[in-house]
Structures are given as C-alpha cells and as structure tokens.
Amino acid sequence: MSEKYLRGLRVLVTRPFPEGEVLSNKIRAAGGDAHHLPTITIVPDKIHFAGQYDWLIFVSPQAVRASINAIRQQWSQLPAALRLAAIGSGSARVLNEYGFHKIIFPHHDPCAASLLALPEFQSVEKQHIALIQGAGGRTELFDTLTARGAQVTPLIAYRRECPTFDDHWVHCAAALMDHSINAIVVTSTEGLQNFIYGLEADLLNNVYSVPLVVVSPRIAKHAHQLGFQKILLAENAGHNAIMSVLSVLSGREVQ
C-alpha cells in the first residue's frame, strides 16, 4: 500500500479543533487534500472538584483539554487512590500527553458501551464517579453507572457553540459549489446540523450528493433524514477508522 493512498481525494473535515486539524493532517500525510471547517466551537467552562471521587471518567479529548488546568490546580486535593478512565484511546492519548499514564479505557470501539463493559465498571456500588464532559452530552454513562449503584456527578468542562460563518466558510462553500470536494467527514449530529445551517439554500443539492463519512448509526440516520444520498459509516469515531473509510472512497482500500 502506497503511503499516499488518499492521493487525489479532497476531503472537508468538520470535526472541532484541535482533533479536526489532527485528522486533516493525517489526510494530507496520506496524499489527500483536507479542508478543515470546524462546525462546532468548544468553549471551556470552569469546573471544581468538590467531592472525594474514586474515578474521573473523561468522555472525549475535548473534555481532557478543557479540564486539565483545573485538574492540575486541584490535584493535591483529590484522593491519592483516585483512578482515571477514558471513553477511548483518543482521550487516553491526550491524558498521556499531559503526563497521566495509568488510564483505564476500552482499546477497541471507543464508546460508552465499551467503557461500561470493562471489568472495572461491573461492580461500582457506592463508588463516587465524576464524569468530565460537555454540556448537553448523552446520558448513557450516567444512567448505567447510577443503576449499578454508583454516586455519579457530571462535571461540565465545556460548551459547544455554533461557529461564526466567516471567510473560511465562504471558501469551503465555493469548493462545494464547483464540485471539488469528494467527501465530507462529520462526527456529531450537532456538527452536521450546524454545517447545513451555515450553507446557502442553493448549495444544499450539491452537498447532499457528496459522500458523507459519519461515525455512528445515529448520525447516519440523521443524515439520511436530511437528504444525504451516500452515507458511509466508520467503525468508530477514531481517526484510523475514518481514514479506512476514506481509503475506500479513494479506490485504494487499506487492508
């Protein structure tokens, strides 16, 4: 397999910064042409660790980055036996980058169900667990851990906002208008909705015919309802899974 297996593929990446730029750089390194258009802006919130927790669970790389200053400032106040967990390898990797190395996380299929299936979270009765997450996130972790007897506290580390529709949006819209985009990568229903909202109505027919790479059946269903004609589902939200789908589109499938 050539290192430039995405040669000739022009991809619009809507994943928020900085993960979206990481993915864009991977596409460029594989020979593709990536346009990074974040359709969600991540705005950090201040959090305070008021409890004596047994676990901190990070639900996304954004949650790690948004909370890291508070964690460092308040680390001495947290229990010595505190354990850290992450919803997937991406969040664990960011924790590693900040100097935290003993992380529990599912090594395959980064999602709440995979984390909840780990042995460490089968018997959590009376344990105190903090979920480091964004505002308005899904409740599967909270609901399941609470049902298993844990005391669960969501700590909101960031908010998601619709970005400003600036000159970069205009540039990407022009690329869509002249059919020079071969694929669009979307990693959340909110990001997809913001993307559609930011486009002029006369662009929508062009957009709906572009292959859309999504990372969950829920996003795929929403995209289908909006009118997208070709939807490709990545195995999970990890960059490698997305790159694998893009390789299929390029005609140089990674084995």
Side-chain angles (χ1 to χ4, degrees):
M1 170 60 63
S2 167
E3 292 183 359
K4 303 299 182 182
Y5 60 90
L6 295 186
R7 185 174 60 254
L9 194 71
R10 296 176 297 277
V11 185
L12 184 63
V13 176
T14 68
R15 185 166 234 168
F17 184 86
E19 290 300 306
E21 191 58 31
V22 173
L23 176 58
S24 296
N25 286 334
K26 282 181 173 288
I27 292 168
R28 294 169 189 137
D33 181 11
H35 301 263
H36 184 207
L37 182 70
T39 55
I40 293 177
T41 298
I42 302 298
V43 181
D45 275 348
K46 292 182 179 180
I47 61 174
H48 180 68
F49 298 97
Q52 293 298 300
Y53 305 108
D54 298 291
W55 289 93
L56 299 184
I57 298 179
F58 298 84
V59 305
S60 67
Q62 291 92 338
V64 178
R65 293 189 176 95
S67 65
I68 196 65
N69 287 337
I71 291 171
R72 285 172 166 170
Q73 292 167 4
Q74 301 173 51
W75 186 254
S76 62
Q77 304 168 29
L78 295 170
L82 177 69
R83 303 182 72 185
L84 306 183
I87 204 165
S89 59
S91 302
R93 172 179 51 80
V94 178
L95 282 166
N96 289 163
E97 292 171 359
Y98 287 117
F100 298 93
H101 300 294
K102 294 183 178 179
I103 315 297
I104 300 298
F105 66 96
H107 289 263
H108 303 285
D109 193 15
C111 66
S114 296
L115 180 69
L116 290 166
L118 295 177
E120 290 83 357
F121 296 107
Q122 302 311 300
S123 300
V124 291
E125 189 173 358
K126 297 184 179 179
Q127 292 190 28
H128 293 234
I129 300 173
L131 301 179
I132 316 299
Q133 61 185 56
R138 301 177 71 185
T139 64
E140 183 178 359
L141 283 173
F142 179 89
D143 294 342
T144 303
L145 292 170
T146 299
R148 292 177 182 177
Q151 180 178 321
V152 185
T153 304
L155 296 178
I156 305 304
Y158 64 91
R159 293 173 287 109
R160 305 172 185 86
E161 294 184 355
C162 189
T164 302
F165 302 122
D166 55 14
D167 290 344
H168 188 46
W169 274 85
V170 174
H171 172 74
C172 291
L176 288 164
M177 180 65 80
D178 65 16
H179 302 280
S180 63
I181 297 295
N182 305 124
I184 302 169
V185 175
V186 171
T187 53
S188 71
T189 54
E190 183 180 359
L192 177 57
Q193 200 62 48
N194 288 349
F195 174 60
I196 296 299
Y197 177 72
L199 297 175
E200 297 292 337
D202 58 359
L203 263 180
L204 293 182
N205 286 336
N206 289 30
V207 169
Y208 291 146
S209 64
V210 178
L212 188 74
V213 179
V214 301
V215 299
S216 76
R218 185 167 56 95
I219 304 172
K221 180 180 179 180
H222 186 61
H224 179 73
Q225 291 170 343
L226 286 172
F228 280 89
Q229 298 163 19
K230 185 174 183 180
I231 303 166
L232 297 94
L233 178 60
E235 185 176 346
N236 56 58
H239 291 160
N240 289 341
I242 295 171
M243 293 290 285
S244 180
V245 174
L246 291 174
S247 76
V248 175
L249 279 174
S250 74
R252 306 178 184 92
E253 185 172 355
V254 177
Q255 301 299 320

